[in-house]
């Protein structure tokens, strides 16, 4: 039998990949791993909330029961605040960024952004949800205050990113820019164990994934691509939980899209802590991640912490195919515009 490799062990072994790092990044990844184990415990009890108490009420032990996404946010904050490696954090659950006081004797050089519990509308129905995170090195001088520009770095500046999927089993998948590795939580020993080393996304897959119900509000290029999928008999899989949909796409191959719609003209998903970390992971696994303007997600200049972005991500052949349909409509539009100008 092969000896298992735990997340902590793996992170320490990989530390030497970072010439500039003296363990801070490793410490941060381990802290996120521990926070997610605590969140996982609570997620597993979600169905019991109505028995033990609802948000705003007390549970059987007389403690206040927090909503699960608030609970997840608080745990991520607790662990990152005390780690000593993190200078500031930003979260989907917080309006602005949060500065973290330096822990004595520690050098806080990192910025962490996260969505503590993505897909939280799925909690009530026992469907998979997840935590998404990304880590940057701070840009501002370590002697001065943290600045918004520390958070508004392009995706290509990420030093690490990952997600935790609370599914039929709990998994942490992360990258530090040297491939992608997945760890499954063994509930018996309470450790994440390396289960998916060096993950590679298949060149193409059997599924496309998007909210098909918004079909009429998608651009003509996206509609054309969806008709192509239908014609080719490509299956539709959509959980409505980005972490779970991307996880399947990463393992089985496929494409995930959240383009612009009438309700969300810039897309729904957030560039800084949803699109960029997923783009980093998928690219590291050999996939492609672009906006519906066909620009690379990780080269987009963020303009705000909670800015939304369109996303088309997944297996290279499928993303390129979708891009081709979108492109031909852009070219068509351009031609029409030019001929209108000439005839004016
Ligand atoms: P949330 O951050 O409010 O949980 O919303 C994000 C979720 C993603 O996980 C998922 O991909 C998307 O919203 C689904 O949106 P829709 O219901 O419009 O298809
Ligand atoms: Mg979210």
């Amino acid at each position: 039998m092969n000896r298992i490799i735990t997340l902590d062990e793996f992170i320490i072994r990989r530390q030497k990949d970072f010439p500039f790092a003296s363990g801070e990044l490793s410490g941060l990844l381990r802290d996120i791993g521990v926070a997610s184990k605590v969140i996982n415990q609570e997620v597993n009890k979600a169905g019991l909330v109505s028995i033990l108490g609802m948000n705003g009420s007390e549970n059987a032990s007389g403690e206040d029961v927090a909503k699960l996404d608030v609970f997840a946010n608080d745990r991520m904050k607790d662990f990152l605040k005390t780690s000593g490696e993190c200078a500031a954090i930003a979260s989907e659950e917080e309006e602005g960024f949060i500065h973290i006081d330096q822990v004595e004797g520690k050098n806080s050089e990192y910025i962490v952004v996260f969505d503590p519990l993505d897909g939280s509308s799925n909690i009530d129905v026992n469907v998979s949800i997840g935590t998404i995170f990304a880590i940057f090195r701070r840009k501002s001088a370590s002697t001065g205050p943290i600045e918004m520009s520390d958070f508004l770095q392009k995706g290509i500046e990420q030093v690490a990113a990952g997600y935790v999927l609370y599914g039929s089993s709990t998994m942490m998948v992360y990258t530090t820019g040297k491939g992608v590795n997945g760890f499954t939580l063994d509930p018996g020993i309470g450790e994440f164990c390396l289960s998916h080393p060096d993950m590679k996304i298949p060149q193409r897959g059997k599924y496309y994934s998007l909210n098909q119900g918004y079909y009429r509000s998608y651009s003509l290029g996206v509609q054309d691509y969806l008709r192509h999928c239908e014609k080719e008999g490509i299956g539709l899989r959509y959980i409505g939980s980005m972490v779970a949909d991307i996880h399947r796409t990463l393992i089985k191959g496929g494409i995930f899209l959240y383009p612009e719609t009438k309700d969300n003209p810039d897309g729904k998903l957030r560039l800084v802590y949803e699109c960029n970390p997923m783009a980093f992971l998928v690219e590291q696994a050999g996939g492609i991640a672009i906006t519906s303007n066909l620009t690379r997600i990780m080269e987009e200049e963020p303009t705000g912490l909670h800015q939304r972005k369109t996303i088309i991500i997944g297996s290279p052949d499928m993303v390129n195919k979708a891009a081709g349909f979108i492109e031909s409509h852009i070219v068509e539009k351009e031609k029409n515009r030019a001929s209108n100008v000439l005839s004016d």
Side-chain angles (χ1 to χ4, degrees):
M1 196 183 88
N2 286 338
R3 182 185 166 295
I4 56 162
I5 300 173
T6 67
L7 175 66
D8 285 9
E9 244 181 302
F10 186 86
I11 290 171
I12 291 164
R13 283 190 196 180
R14 286 294 172 99
Q15 197 168 298
K16 62 176 181 352
D17 288 347
F18 303 95
F20 56 81
S22 49
E24 288 103 343
L25 181 61
S26 306
L28 262 182
L29 287 166
R30 289 207 306 270
D31 287 336
I32 293 171
V34 179
S36 69
K37 283 197 254 182
V38 176
I39 297 168
N40 179 60
Q41 280 272 331
E42 210 59 20
V43 168
N44 284 339
K45 288 192 294 194
L48 295 170
V49 165
S50 55
I51 301 170
L52 300 177
M54 296 294 281
N55 184 31
S57 67
E58 292 183 344
N59 65 17
S61 328
E63 299 153 339
D64 285 339
V65 180
K67 258 179 80 182
L68 213 44
D69 39 13
V70 177
F71 177 89
N73 190 48
D74 288 347
R75 293 300 78 76
M76 287 289 284
K77 282 197 300 189
D78 291 346
F79 279 94
L80 292 169
K81 273 183 180 170
T82 49
S83 74
E85 338 283 3
C86 185
I89 53 181
S91 157
E92 179 169 11
E93 295 292 329
E94 311 277 345
E95 189 66 30
F97 65 78
I98 301 172
H99 173 265
I100 294 176
D101 291 337
Q102 191 142 350
V103 173
E104 221 179 294
K106 293 263 197 164
N107 198 13
S108 318
E109 279 301 310
Y110 290 98
I111 300 290
V112 182
V113 295
F114 55 89
D115 181 353
L117 215 54
D118 184 63
S120 45
S121 64
N122 281 323
I123 296 169
D124 294 350
V125 288
N126 220 341
V127 169
S128 300
I129 45 181
T131 298
I132 310 171
F133 64 90
I135 304 176
F136 295 89
R137 280 179 85 78
R138 79 178 276 189
K139 285 265 162 180
S140 55
S142 54
T143 45
I146 292 288
E147 290 165 15
M148 185 52 98
S149 55
D150 288 315
F151 289 91
L152 302 185
Q153 299 187 50
K154 290 182 183 176
I156 46 174
E157 309 278 359
Q158 293 170 105
V159 293
Y163 59 76
V164 180
L165 170 65
Y166 311 102
S168 46
S169 58
T170 299
M171 275 195 77
M172 178 163 167
V173 175
Y174 82 92
T175 182
T176 50
K178 295 200 184 296
V180 180
N181 290 283
F183 301 80
T184 303
L185 183 64
D186 179 339
I189 57 171
E191 294 280 0
F192 281 108
C193 303
L194 182 62
S195 51
H196 295 63
D198 198 17
M199 296 168 80
K200 295 278 179 243
I201 191 167
Q203 196 65 22
R204 66 190 73 81
K206 284 195 288 190
Y207 305 120
Y208 72 102
S209 183
L210 94 170
N211 196 325
Q212 184 81 25
Y214 305 152
Y215 180 85
R216 281 166 180 270
S217 93
Y218 293 139
S219 69
L220 295 177
V222 171
Q223 289 187 1
D224 271 1
Y225 176 63
L226 299 181
R227 279 199 299 275
H228 157 82
C229 291
E230 209 182 315
K231 234 189 283 162
E232 294 293 311
I234 300 173
L236 168 63
R237 290 281 186 282
Y238 189 65
I239 298 168
S241 215
M242 188 196 202
V243 176
D245 280 315
I246 298 273
H247 185 67
R248 181 197 56 251
T249 304
L250 196 56
I251 290 186
K252 301 241 184 224
I255 183 171
F256 172 88
L257 310 91
Y258 208 116
E260 63 277 22
T261 63
K262 275 199 202 82
D263 287 346
N264 288 300
D266 299 317
K268 179 184 179 190
L269 301 169
R270 316 295 181 136
L271 174 61
V272 174
Y273 45 79
E274 292 178 332
C275 299
N276 268 335
M278 292 306 192
F280 192 18
L281 284 163
V282 167
E283 283 198 11
Q284 279 294 314
I288 299 180
I290 55 174
T291 66
S292 58
N293 288 327
L294 311 185
T295 52
R296 185 181 175 206
I297 293 266
M298 289 208 289
E299 284 176 25
E300 289 290 306
E301 188 96 54
T303 54
L305 270 185
H306 302 289
Q307 176 192 3
R308 297 176 194 272
K309 213 24 104 185
T310 56
I311 186 166
I312 303 176
I313 185 169
S315 292
D317 285 1
M318 297 178 84
V319 174
N320 284 331
K321 191 80 191 173
F325 280 98
I326 295 168
E327 168 112 66
S328 56
H329 273 279
I330 296 173
V331 171
E332 190 68 18
K333 242 199 234 161
E334 226 7 76
K335 265 201 230 148
N336 290 341
R337 200 190 57 83
S339 69
N340 287 343
V341 170
L342 286 176
S343 60
D344 276 351

